[in-house]
Amino acid sequence: MTEKIGFIGLGIMGRGMAANLLRAGYAVRVWNRTVSRMTPLLELGGTAGSSPADVAAHSDVIFICVSDTPDVQAVVLGEQGIVHGAQPGALVVDHSTISPAATQEMAAALAEKGIHMLDAPVSGGSEGAAKGTLSIMVGGEAAQFARAMPMMQAMGKTITHVGGHGAGQMAKLVNQILVVVTMQAVGEALLFAQAGGLALEKTLTAVAGGAAGSWMLSNRGPQVIARDWRPGFTIDLQQKDLRLVLEAADQLGVPLPATALVFQFYRTLQQQGLGGEGNHALVKALENLAGFTIGGERPLPA
Ligand code: NAP
């Protein structure tokens, strides 16, 4: 029997993911705190829930994609939360990026009621959510991973079971360390190239195919040169993820000096009102230190 699906949180990511489940033929009951955001999903054939508990009462598998740790806690364990509607045997799949430790606590609280949970944060941006090409990093029991797999295949391309509860969130934080420290290197490299009088586009072409090549360099490098700060992922959300990384590193006793530095650079940009710009605007913090801009007036060599 096909499982009935619920989807909670229809923001930039959730709306594309829920739409792909509907297009794959699943019956989906949706709920969003701001009710008007449900309309496009209802037009695609979804039904409207009145609360997370109501969605859970009508669903076998309940997907979540909301902002931060307290938001997931509210929709799972709050007054109108999933826990008050879900039947024993139901499965909760959380696609938000949140604290690994809080995830383990929630999974334990749900298990007491016979409700399963997978943490399944995603990477790939709004474009990946809309196209169904997300990378999904999953923590939890193998049997529940197998159960959710056909549904996750409607939303993602690279779907990996990385371990027990919280392991999916840990893998996502690993992803975020790599993203921001790489972006810091891209910014320093472009600033250095600028000061040396190199043609920036040509320099990118020269290095992108070698050992220094990366997704951030090839995709965000040209955006930096064009001074196009439109967000695929905003500084504010990136900073939320770095806060989660540094909290987890603190609990584990692991030094992450480069990630901590980038966190402080992003903070200076937030203070300048740039939190809504794309995460590649990190280079602006370096430009502030250097006193010149990439793609701008080039300083004369000393
Ligand atoms: P978004 O567009 O800001 O949407 C956030 C969603 O969460 C909205 O539906 C919002 O409801 C809901 N929400 C927030 N707090 C809530 C609460 N306390 N109770 C109920 N609903 C609440 O964010 P997004 O870009 O879709 O991101 C969602 C998650 O995916 C985040 O954890 C983010 O880090 C992660 N993510 C995002 C990207 C990306 O490129 N955007 C990529 C990978 C992962 P309202 O509509 O009422 O505000």
Side-chain angles (χ1 to χ4, degrees):
M1 191 189 74
T2 309
E3 305 220 68
K4 284 182 290 172
I5 292 182
F7 206 109
I8 292 168
L10 306 169
I12 290 175
M13 299 298 285
R15 63 180 170 234
M17 297 164 79
N20 282 329
L21 286 166
L22 282 162
R23 288 191 195 105
Y26 289 101
V28 185
R29 193 171 185 87
V30 297
W31 179 81
N32 195 68
R33 182 179 58 182
T34 305
V35 172
S36 59
R37 279 181 143 176
M38 294 201 274
T39 307
L41 283 306
L42 304 183
E43 285 166 359
L44 283 175
T47 55
S50 55
S51 67
D54 169 77
V55 167
H58 291 85
S59 307
D60 305 303
V61 182
I62 306 115
F63 293 90
I64 305 170
C65 193
V66 297
S67 307
D68 203 348
T69 307
D71 308 312
V72 177
Q73 288 169 327
V75 300
V76 172
L77 301 173
E79 223 171 275
Q80 295 286 311
I82 289 168
V83 71
H84 301 298
Q87 302 296 313
L91 168 63
V92 174
V93 182
D94 179 23
H95 288 300
S96 326
T97 303
I98 66 162
S99 153
T103 293
Q104 289 173 338
E105 285 165 19
M106 258 183 292
L110 289 172
E112 279 178 24
K113 310 262 181 190
I115 303 164
H116 306 284
M117 182 171 178
L118 294 173
D119 45 299
V122 301
S123 174
S126 55
E127 204 185 35
K131 289 185 178 163
T133 57
L134 293 169
S135 291
I136 311 179
M137 297 146 251
V138 188
E141 291 162 17
Q144 297 304 319
F145 174 72
R147 176 183 177 183
M149 189 56 151
M151 296 160 235
M152 291 194 290
Q153 280 170 333
M155 300 183 276
K157 279 269 179 290
T158 308
I159 304 163
T160 313
H161 185 215
V162 287
H165 296 300
Q169 295 295 352
M170 279 298 292
K172 169 74 188 195
L173 298 185
V174 167
N175 182 81
Q176 297 307 66
I177 294 170
L178 290 165
V179 163
V180 300
V181 177
T182 304
M183 193 60 228
Q184 172 78 2
V186 170
E188 290 191 13
L190 285 175
L191 206 61
F192 178 76
Q194 170 88 24
L198 292 178
L200 298 180
E201 293 281 8
K202 210 173 264 184
T203 306
L204 278 193
T205 307
V207 299
S214 69
W215 189 96
M216 290 303 275
L217 182 68
S218 298
N219 290 275
R220 297 298 176 231
Q223 256 189 287
V224 169
I225 295 169
R227 305 198 73 71
D228 171 3
W229 311 115
R230 283 174 297 172
F233 191 58
T234 64
I235 287 176
D236 282 341
L237 273 180
Q238 183 70 81
Q239 190 70 329
K240 181 263 295 181
D241 289 358
L242 293 190
R243 192 197 78 232
L244 295 170
V245 170
L246 295 176
E247 281 170 4
D250 191 36
Q251 284 157 10
L252 295 167
V254 183
L256 298 178
T259 309
L261 177 70
V262 175
F263 179 82
Q264 299 299 339
F265 277 151
Y266 275 131
R267 175 154 287 166
T268 66
L269 299 176
Q270 286 180 307
Q271 291 302 323
Q272 290 168 32
L274 304 180
E277 295 197 346
N279 58 355
H280 54 295
L282 175 63
V283 298
K284 290 187 178 181
L286 290 168
E287 291 174 344
N288 290 340
L289 293 177
F292 63 93
T293 55
I294 294 163
E297 238 356 80
R298 285 176 194 168
L300 290 173

